[in-house]
Amino acid sequence: MKTNNKPTWLGYLNALKNKGVEAEQLKLTGFDDFFLANDFAQSFFMHSIPFVYLLDYQSGLYINMSENFAGYSAECFLKEGINHTLEIYQQDHLRLFDEEIFPDRLQILEEIAPEDHKNHIFSYQSVIKNRYGQHEHFLQRNCFISDEDRNPVYSMGIMIKINDLGDYSPVLQTVERIDTNREKENEIICKKVYYLNKEDQIFSKREKEVLSWMAEGLSSKMIADKLFVSEHTVINHRRSMQQKSNMPNAIALVGFAIKSGII
């Protein structure tokens, strides 16, 4: 299954079942050393109780995992594998991960040497239905062990409950590179915003007005005077549009708007 010619997560898992990869080739035993040696894992344990898992993409089975995730015992996941996860995944979030977030991950991994995949941490928010039928919000951070063709085969992740941290729409994905020498902080190499509802990504009438004046070369102060609003309001509109379009700056935003026919 593909979306816009990109492989979805579920399609990727199905395709990988037919691909033979030797565990020895991926040095799975080194994964435990990676987990224990890196600061990112240790820092999580210091300030929260995470749920930790190791998933084999080929079989769709969990090799290991913590107890009591969203009220479920580890046995539920170890016996039923990814199928149990799919049953409790909130469907809009599952669609977003399957069709948009995971395909983007594959593209990012294509630019990274396969032996370096394990040193890149992917983070995003997801929603899971707990054992009692209630939706809970989690921050997931994971990395991959991949084969020599850059195909992720194992995923190790940490899930941390974040119910008390406010609104979780839109969904933000970040990708960090770990400094293996542990001399620097993790480097964020990618950030992207995703929308559960496409209508949330559409620019408002006022945002389009601001955008039109931006295309004319007016500053935020000049646009504010034109629209009889504060400069702060104009800046907020611009930031909102940059977030919706994933554009890094005003110039890129205007270029995107012209190319997309928005103005």
Side-chain angles (χ1 to χ4, degrees):
M1 183 167 56
K2 292 187 176 183
T3 302
N4 297 327
N5 296 320
K6 295 180 179 180
T8 63
W9 182 49
L10 297 178
Y12 178 84
L13 292 178
N14 286 329
L16 201 62
K17 288 180 181 179
N18 300 318
K19 181 179 174 65
V21 179
E22 297 293 333
E24 290 79 7
Q25 173 190 344
L26 301 174
K27 298 180 180 178
L28 184 59
T29 54
F31 209 63
D32 292 334
D33 294 335
F34 160 76
F35 174 70
L36 294 173
N38 282 273
D39 290 338
F40 95 91
Q42 296 178 24
S43 66
F44 270 131
F45 286 118
M46 290 177 63
H47 73 265
S48 59
I49 302 175
F51 171 82
V52 182
Y53 68 87
L54 178 59
L55 172 64
D56 180 352
Y57 270 6
Q58 286 184 282
S59 65
L61 297 175
Y62 291 93
I63 297 174
N64 207 344
M65 63 183 352
S66 306
E67 278 291 343
N68 192 26
F69 173 62
Y72 298 96
S73 68
E75 185 179 3
C76 293
F77 296 90
L78 293 173
K79 289 179 64 175
E80 300 178 35
I82 196 69
N83 290 331
H84 182 64
T85 302
L86 297 179
E87 288 180 3
I88 64 175
Y89 216 128
Q90 200 276 340
Q91 291 303 297
D92 287 337
H93 280 262
L94 174 58
R95 176 199 57 76
L96 186 68
F97 183 78
D98 181 43
E99 299 178 1
E100 298 186 45
I101 295 176
F102 184 77
D104 284 348
R105 291 184 170 192
L106 290 182
Q107 286 190 338
I108 292 169
L109 291 171
E110 274 293 316
E111 304 300 320
I112 301 170
E115 63 273 13
D116 200 28
H117 284 190
K118 65 182 181 295
N119 295 319
H120 287 77
I121 307 300
F122 293 77
S123 302
Y124 85 110
Q125 315 103 280
S126 59
V127 175
I128 299 294
K129 184 172 65 175
N130 67 21
R131 183 181 177 185
Y132 311 102
Q134 302 165 326
H135 284 131
E136 295 189 326
H137 299 262
F138 290 87
L139 172 68
Q140 183 194 64
R141 286 169 63 82
N142 78 290
C143 61
F144 300 99
I145 281 185
S146 301
D147 63 22
E148 59 187 9
D149 295 321
R150 293 180 168 82
N151 298 310
V153 179
Y154 295 100
S155 170
M156 191 199 79
I158 295 176
M159 305 280 285
I160 301 175
K161 189 184 298 186
I162 54 172
N163 286 346
D164 299 328
L165 297 184
D167 187 24
Y168 307 102
S169 182
V171 174
L172 173 66
Q173 174 167 241
T174 62
V175 185
E176 303 166 60
R177 193 187 189 295
I178 294 175
D179 176 21
T180 55
N181 295 323
R182 287 182 280 175
E183 296 176 351
K184 303 176 183 177
E185 294 185 0
N186 294 354
E187 175 190 4
I188 296 179
I189 64 171
C190 180
K191 274 187 179 182
K192 186 172 180 180
V193 175
Y194 300 84
Y195 290 85
L196 293 168
N197 302 305
K198 292 300 181 183
E199 55 268 25
D200 293 338
Q201 198 168 359
I202 300 173
F203 294 166
S204 68
K205 180 179 179 181
R206 178 46 64 93
E207 286 174 340
K208 290 179 181 178
E209 286 182 284
V210 171
L211 194 53
S212 295
W213 288 118
M214 288 173 61
E216 295 291 329
L218 273 65
S219 67
S220 295
K221 178 65 169 63
M222 295 166 68
I223 296 173
D225 292 340
K226 290 279 189 181
L227 299 178
F228 302 102
V229 297
S230 70
E231 183 178 1
H232 180 70
T233 297
V234 172
I235 292 172
N236 282 341
H237 283 313
R238 188 186 70 197
R239 287 175 177 167
S240 173
M241 289 186 286
Q242 286 179 214
Q243 184 183 66
K244 290 178 179 180
S245 61
N246 283 295
M247 293 295 109
N249 53 51
I251 295 175
L253 174 61
V254 171
F256 166 82
I258 293 173
K259 183 177 181 180
S260 304
I262 296 174
I263 57 175

